[in-house]
PDB file of all heavy atoms in Angstrom:
ATOM      1  N   ILE Y  78      91.572 122.810 125.805  1.00 98.00           N
ATOM      2  CA  ILE Y  78      90.205 122.436 126.245  1.00 98.00           C
ATOM      3  C   ILE Y  78      89.746 123.360 127.367  1.00 98.00           C
ATOM      4  O   ILE Y  78      88.600 123.801 127.388  1.00 98.00           O
ATOM      5  CB  ILE Y  78      90.062 120.944 126.681  1.00 98.00           C
ATOM      6  CG1 ILE Y  78      91.092 120.545 127.735  1.00 98.00           C
ATOM      7  CG2 ILE Y  78      90.093 120.017 125.485  1.00 98.00           C
ATOM      8  CD1 ILE Y  78      90.833 119.173 128.371  1.00 98.00           C
ATOM      9  N   GLY Y  79      90.675 123.672 128.272  1.00 98.00           N
ATOM     10  CA  GLY Y  79      90.311 124.578 129.370  1.00 98.00           C
ATOM     11  C   GLY Y  79      89.970 125.963 128.848  1.00 98.00           C
ATOM     12  O   GLY Y  79      88.963 126.558 129.233  1.00 98.00           O
ATOM     13  N   LEU Y  80      90.811 126.453 127.943  1.00 98.00           N
ATOM     14  CA  LEU Y  80      90.581 127.813 127.414  1.00 98.00           C
ATOM     15  C   LEU Y  80      89.265 127.899 126.642  1.00 98.00           C
ATOM     16  O   LEU Y  80      88.499 128.858 126.803  1.00 98.00           O
ATOM     17  CB  LEU Y  80      91.751 128.238 126.517  1.00 98.00           C
ATOM     18  CG  LEU Y  80      93.086 128.500 127.237  1.00 98.00           C
ATOM     19  CD1 LEU Y  80      94.193 128.760 126.213  1.00 98.00           C
ATOM     20  CD2 LEU Y  80      92.970 129.675 128.208  1.00 98.00           C
ATOM     21  N   LEU Y  81      88.996 126.887 125.811  1.00 98.00           N
ATOM     22  CA  LEU Y  81      87.753 126.941 125.026  1.00 98.00           C
ATOM     23  C   LEU Y  81      86.531 126.836 125.943  1.00 98.00           C
ATOM     24  O   LEU Y  81      85.542 127.553 125.756  1.00 98.00           O
ATOM     25  CB  LEU Y  81      87.726 125.848 123.943  1.00 98.00           C
ATOM     26  CG  LEU Y  81      86.462 125.827 123.104  1.00 98.00           C
ATOM     27  CD1 LEU Y  81      86.238 127.160 122.376  1.00 98.00           C
ATOM     28  CD2 LEU Y  81      86.483 124.687 122.083  1.00 98.00           C
ATOM     29  N   SER Y  82      86.606 125.956 126.943  1.00 98.00           N
ATOM     30  CA  SER Y  82      85.462 125.854 127.871  1.00 98.00           C
ATOM     31  C   SER Y  82      85.230 127.180 128.572  1.00 98.00           C
ATOM     32  O   SER Y  82      84.079 127.625 128.733  1.00 98.00           O
ATOM     33  CB  SER Y  82      85.709 124.768 128.916  1.00 98.00           C
ATOM     34  OG  SER Y  82      85.725 123.528 128.303  1.00 98.00           O
ATOM     35  N   MET Y  83      86.326 127.827 128.995  1.00 98.00           N
ATOM     36  CA  MET Y  83      86.175 129.123 129.665  1.00 98.00           C
ATOM     37  C   MET Y  83      85.577 130.162 128.712  1.00 98.00           C
ATOM     38  O   MET Y  83      84.715 130.956 129.120  1.00 98.00           O
ATOM     39  CB  MET Y  83      87.530 129.621 130.182  1.00 98.00           C
ATOM     40  CG  MET Y  83      88.016 128.815 131.372  1.00 98.00           C
ATOM     41  SD  MET Y  83      89.664 129.306 131.870  1.00 98.00           S
ATOM     42  CE  MET Y  83      89.340 130.891 132.562  1.00 98.00           C
ATOM     43  N   ALA Y  84      86.027 130.137 127.459  1.00 98.00           N
ATOM     44  CA  ALA Y  84      85.485 131.094 126.482  1.00 98.00           C
ATOM     45  C   ALA Y  84      83.988 130.857 126.290  1.00 98.00           C
ATOM     46  O   ALA Y  84      83.193 131.806 126.245  1.00 98.00           O
ATOM     47  CB  ALA Y  84      86.226 130.963 125.154  1.00 98.00           C
ATOM     48  N   LEU Y  85      83.581 129.588 126.216  1.00 98.00           N
ATOM     49  CA  LEU Y  85      82.154 129.272 126.050  1.00 98.00           C
ATOM     50  C   LEU Y  85      81.367 129.750 127.273  1.00 98.00           C
ATOM     51  O   LEU Y  85      80.314 130.384 127.139  1.00 98.00           O
ATOM     52  CB  LEU Y  85      81.974 127.761 125.853  1.00 98.00           C
ATOM     53  CG  LEU Y  85      82.395 127.224 124.476  1.00 98.00           C
ATOM     54  CD1 LEU Y  85      82.609 125.713 124.512  1.00 98.00           C
ATOM     55  CD2 LEU Y  85      81.343 127.562 123.418  1.00 98.00           C
ATOM     56  N   GLN Y  86      81.900 129.425 128.450  1.00 98.00           N
ATOM     57  CA  GLN Y  86      81.196 129.814 129.683  1.00 98.00           C
ATOM     58  C   GLN Y  86      81.074 131.333 129.791  1.00 98.00           C
ATOM     59  O   GLN Y  86      80.030 131.857 130.187  1.00 98.00           O
ATOM     60  CB  GLN Y  86      81.935 129.258 130.904  1.00 98.00           C
ATOM     61  CG  GLN Y  86      81.810 127.746 131.027  1.00 98.00           C
ATOM     62  CD  GLN Y  86      82.851 127.140 131.968  1.00 98.00           C
ATOM     63  OE1 GLN Y  86      83.588 127.866 132.636  1.00 98.00           O
ATOM     64  NE2 GLN Y  86      82.917 125.815 132.012  1.00 98.00           N
ATOM     65  N   SER Y  87      82.125 132.038 129.397  1.00 98.00           N
ATOM     66  CA  SER Y  87      82.094 133.500 129.525  1.00 98.00           C
ATOM     67  C   SER Y  87      81.065 134.112 128.580  1.00 98.00           C
ATOM     68  O   SER Y  87      80.616 135.237 128.766  1.00 98.00           O
ATOM     69  CB  SER Y  87      83.477 134.101 129.278  1.00 98.00           C
ATOM     70  OG  SER Y  87      83.750 134.050 127.889  1.00 98.00           O
ATOM     71  N   LYS Y  88      80.687 133.349 127.558  1.00 98.00           N
ATOM     72  CA  LYS Y  88      79.663 133.830 126.627  1.00 98.00           C
ATOM     73  C   LYS Y  88      78.284 133.276 126.995  1.00 98.00           C
ATOM     74  O   LYS Y  88      77.351 133.315 126.200  1.00 98.00           O
ATOM     75  CB  LYS Y  88      80.030 133.424 125.193  1.00 98.00           C
ATOM     76  CG  LYS Y  88      81.239 134.181 124.659  1.00 98.00           C
ATOM     77  CD  LYS Y  88      81.721 133.625 123.324  1.00 98.00           C
ATOM     78  CE  LYS Y  88      83.042 134.243 122.911  1.00 98.00           C
ATOM     79  NZ  LYS Y  88      82.924 135.657 122.486  1.00 98.00           N
ATOM     80  N   GLY Y  89      78.206 132.654 128.175  1.00 98.00           N
ATOM     81  CA  GLY Y  89      76.912 132.187 128.662  1.00 98.00           C
ATOM     82  C   GLY Y  89      76.546 130.773 128.241  1.00 98.00           C
ATOM     83  O   GLY Y  89      75.420 130.323 128.468  1.00 98.00           O
ATOM     84  N   GLN Y  90      77.480 130.053 127.644  1.00 98.00           N
ATOM     85  CA  GLN Y  90      77.185 128.684 127.209  1.00 98.00           C
ATOM     86  C   GLN Y  90      77.803 127.704 128.206  1.00 98.00           C
ATOM     87  O   GLN Y  90      79.012 127.700 128.413  1.00 98.00           O
ATOM     88  CB  GLN Y  90      77.772 128.434 125.807  1.00 98.00           C
ATOM     89  CG  GLN Y  90      77.687 126.983 125.348  1.00 98.00           C
ATOM     90  CD  GLN Y  90      76.271 126.452 125.260  1.00 98.00           C
ATOM     91  OE1 GLN Y  90      75.418 127.031 124.608  1.00 98.00           O
ATOM     92  NE2 GLN Y  90      75.994 125.331 125.958  1.00 98.00           N
ATOM     93  N   ASP Y  91      76.962 126.861 128.799  1.00 98.00           N
ATOM     94  CA  ASP Y  91      77.478 125.846 129.716  1.00 98.00           C
ATOM     95  C   ASP Y  91      78.393 124.888 128.940  1.00 98.00           C
ATOM     96  O   ASP Y  91      78.053 124.460 127.834  1.00 98.00           O
ATOM     97  CB  ASP Y  91      76.282 125.090 130.328  1.00 98.00           C
ATOM     98  CG  ASP Y  91      76.679 124.309 131.573  1.00 98.00           C
ATOM     99  OD1 ASP Y  91      77.862 124.402 131.974  1.00 98.00           O
ATOM    100  OD2 ASP Y  91      75.798 123.628 132.127  1.00 98.00           O
ATOM    101  N   ALA Y  92      79.529 124.579 129.518  1.00 98.00           N
ATOM    102  CA  ALA Y  92      80.496 123.718 128.813  1.00 98.00           C
ATOM    103  C   ALA Y  92      81.383 123.013 129.826  1.00 98.00           C
ATOM    104  O   ALA Y  92      81.575 123.512 130.945  1.00 98.00           O
ATOM    105  CB  ALA Y  92      81.357 124.566 127.881  1.00 98.00           C
ATOM    106  N   ARG Y  93      81.904 121.853 129.425  1.00 98.00           N
ATOM    107  CA  ARG Y  93      82.847 121.139 130.300  1.00 98.00           C
ATOM    108  C   ARG Y  93      83.949 120.527 129.473  1.00 98.00           C
ATOM    109  O   ARG Y  93      83.711 120.001 128.391  1.00 98.00           O
ATOM    110  CB  ARG Y  93      82.136 120.010 131.039  1.00 98.00           C
ATOM    111  CG  ARG Y  93      81.550 120.449 132.318  1.00 98.00           C
ATOM    112  CD  ARG Y  93      81.103 119.264 133.115  1.00 98.00           C
ATOM    113  NE  ARG Y  93      82.150 118.888 134.064  1.00 98.00           N
ATOM    114  CZ  ARG Y  93      81.905 118.237 135.185  1.00 98.00           C
ATOM    115  NH1 ARG Y  93      80.686 117.874 135.480  1.00 98.00           N
ATOM    116  NH2 ARG Y  93      82.889 117.920 136.001  1.00 98.00           N
ATOM    117  N   SER Y  94      85.151 120.598 130.015  1.00 98.00           N
ATOM    118  CA  SER Y  94      86.285 120.024 129.291  1.00 98.00           C
ATOM    119  C   SER Y  94      86.682 118.672 129.893  1.00 98.00           C
ATOM    120  O   SER Y  94      86.496 118.434 131.080  1.00 98.00           O
ATOM    121  CB  SER Y  94      87.480 120.973 129.369  1.00 98.00           C
ATOM    122  OG  SER Y  94      87.886 121.125 130.709  1.00 98.00           O
ATOM    123  N   TYR Y  95      87.208 117.813 129.015  1.00 98.00           N
ATOM    124  CA  TYR Y  95      87.684 116.492 129.446  1.00 98.00           C
ATOM    125  C   TYR Y  95      88.993 116.143 128.747  1.00 98.00           C
ATOM    126  O   TYR Y  95      89.125 116.357 127.528  1.00 98.00           O
ATOM    127  CB  TYR Y  95      86.663 115.397 129.069  1.00 98.00           C
ATOM    128  CG  TYR Y  95      85.389 115.463 129.865  1.00 98.00           C
ATOM    129  CD1 TYR Y  95      84.265 116.106 129.358  1.00 98.00           C
ATOM    130  CD2 TYR Y  95      85.308 114.890 131.131  1.00 98.00           C
ATOM    131  CE1 TYR Y  95      83.085 116.174 130.082  1.00 98.00           C
ATOM    132  CE2 TYR Y  95      84.130 114.959 131.870  1.00 98.00           C
ATOM    133  CZ  TYR Y  95      83.031 115.597 131.335  1.00 98.00           C
ATOM    134  OH  TYR Y  95      81.880 115.667 132.058  1.00 98.00           O
ATOM    135  N   THR Y  96      89.905 115.554 129.474  1.00 98.00           N
ATOM    136  CA  THR Y  96      91.087 114.975 128.828  1.00 98.00           C
ATOM    137  C   THR Y  96      90.670 113.639 128.201  1.00 98.00           C
ATOM    138  O   THR Y  96      89.589 113.113 128.500  1.00 98.00           O
ATOM    139  CB  THR Y  96      92.218 114.711 129.847  1.00 98.00           C
ATOM    140  OG1 THR Y  96      91.748 113.742 130.791  1.00 98.00           O
ATOM    141  CG2 THR Y  96      92.635 115.987 130.556  1.00 98.00           C
ATOM    142  N   GLY Y  97      91.533 113.096 127.370  1.00 98.00           N
ATOM    143  CA  GLY Y  97      91.226 111.800 126.744  1.00 98.00           C
ATOM    144  C   GLY Y  97      90.990 110.724 127.797  1.00 98.00           C
ATOM    145  O   GLY Y  97      90.062 109.918 127.685  1.00 98.00           O
ATOM    146  N   GLY Y  98      91.827 110.723 128.825  1.00 97.00           N
ATOM    147  CA  GLY Y  98      91.701 109.718 129.878  1.00 97.00           C
ATOM    148  C   GLY Y  98      90.405 109.848 130.657  1.00 97.00           C
ATOM    149  O   GLY Y  98      89.850 108.853 131.131  1.00 97.00           O
ATOM    150  N   GLN Y  99      89.898 111.060 130.774  1.00 96.00           N
ATOM    151  CA  GLN Y  99      88.651 111.263 131.531  1.00 96.00           C
ATOM    152  C   GLN Y  99      87.429 110.795 130.754  1.00 96.00           C
ATOM    153  O   GLN Y  99      86.427 110.424 131.352  1.00 96.00           O
ATOM    154  CB  GLN Y  99      88.490 112.746 131.869  1.00 96.00           C
ATOM    155  CG  GLN Y  99      89.382 113.214 132.998  1.00 96.00           C
ATOM    156  CD  GLN Y  99      89.200 114.705 133.247  1.00 96.00           C
ATOM    157  OE1 GLN Y  99      89.275 115.506 132.326  1.00 96.00           O
ATOM    158  NE2 GLN Y  99      88.975 115.079 134.482  1.00 96.00           N
ATOM    159  N   VAL Y 100      87.505 110.781 129.438  1.00 94.00           N
ATOM    160  CA  VAL Y 100      86.269 110.540 128.638  1.00 94.00           C
ATOM    161  C   VAL Y 100      85.619 109.169 128.859  1.00 94.00           C
ATOM    162  O   VAL Y 100      84.417 109.133 129.016  1.00 94.00           O
ATOM    163  CB  VAL Y 100      86.553 110.798 127.133  1.00 94.00           C
ATOM    164  CG1 VAL Y 100      85.451 110.204 126.253  1.00 94.00           C
ATOM    165  CG2 VAL Y 100      86.626 112.299 126.869  1.00 94.00           C
ATOM    166  N   LYS Y 101      86.147 108.015 128.807  1.00 93.00           N
ATOM    167  CA  LYS Y 101      87.507 107.600 128.601  1.00 93.00           C
ATOM    168  C   LYS Y 101      87.780 107.130 127.189  1.00 93.00           C
ATOM    169  O   LYS Y 101      86.991 106.341 126.670  1.00 93.00           O
ATOM    170  CB  LYS Y 101      87.802 106.409 129.500  1.00 93.00           C
ATOM    171  CG  LYS Y 101      87.628 106.660 130.950  1.00 93.00           C
ATOM    172  CD  LYS Y 101      87.811 105.337 131.683  1.00 93.00           C
ATOM    173  CE  LYS Y 101      87.999 105.648 133.134  1.00 93.00           C
ATOM    174  NZ  LYS Y 101      87.809 104.476 133.991  1.00 93.00           N
ATOM    175  N   ILE Y 102      88.883 107.596 126.657  1.00 98.00           N
ATOM    176  CA  ILE Y 102      89.349 107.071 125.381  1.00 98.00           C
ATOM    177  C   ILE Y 102      90.458 106.080 125.713  1.00 98.00           C
ATOM    178  O   ILE Y 102      91.571 106.466 126.080  1.00 98.00           O
ATOM    179  CB  ILE Y 102      89.854 108.218 124.479  1.00 98.00           C
ATOM    180  CG1 ILE Y 102      88.694 109.169 124.170  1.00 98.00           C
ATOM    181  CG2 ILE Y 102      90.481 107.650 123.205  1.00 98.00           C
ATOM    182  CD1 ILE Y 102      89.049 110.390 123.364  1.00 98.00           C
ATOM    183  N   LEU Y 103      90.115 104.799 125.641  1.00 98.00           N
ATOM    184  CA  LEU Y 103      91.099 103.771 125.996  1.00 98.00           C
ATOM    185  C   LEU Y 103      91.887 103.371 124.761  1.00 98.00           C
ATOM    186  O   LEU Y 103      91.323 103.119 123.691  1.00 98.00           O
ATOM    187  CB  LEU Y 103      90.390 102.539 126.568  1.00 98.00           C
ATOM    188  CG  LEU Y 103      89.886 102.732 127.991  1.00 98.00           C
ATOM    189  CD1 LEU Y 103      88.979 101.580 128.400  1.00 98.00           C
ATOM    190  CD2 LEU Y 103      91.056 102.867 128.972  1.00 98.00           C
TER     191      LEU Y 103
END
Side-chain angles (χ1 to χ4, degrees):
I78 53 170
L80 291 174
L81 179 59
S82 293
M83 288 175 71
L85 286 162
Q86 289 163 7
S87 74
K88 290 171 189 288
Q90 172 61 54
D91 197 3
R93 271 191 96 155
S94 63
Y95 290 97
T96 63
Q99 284 178 309
V100 164
K101 301 174 165 164
I102 297 177
L103 285 170

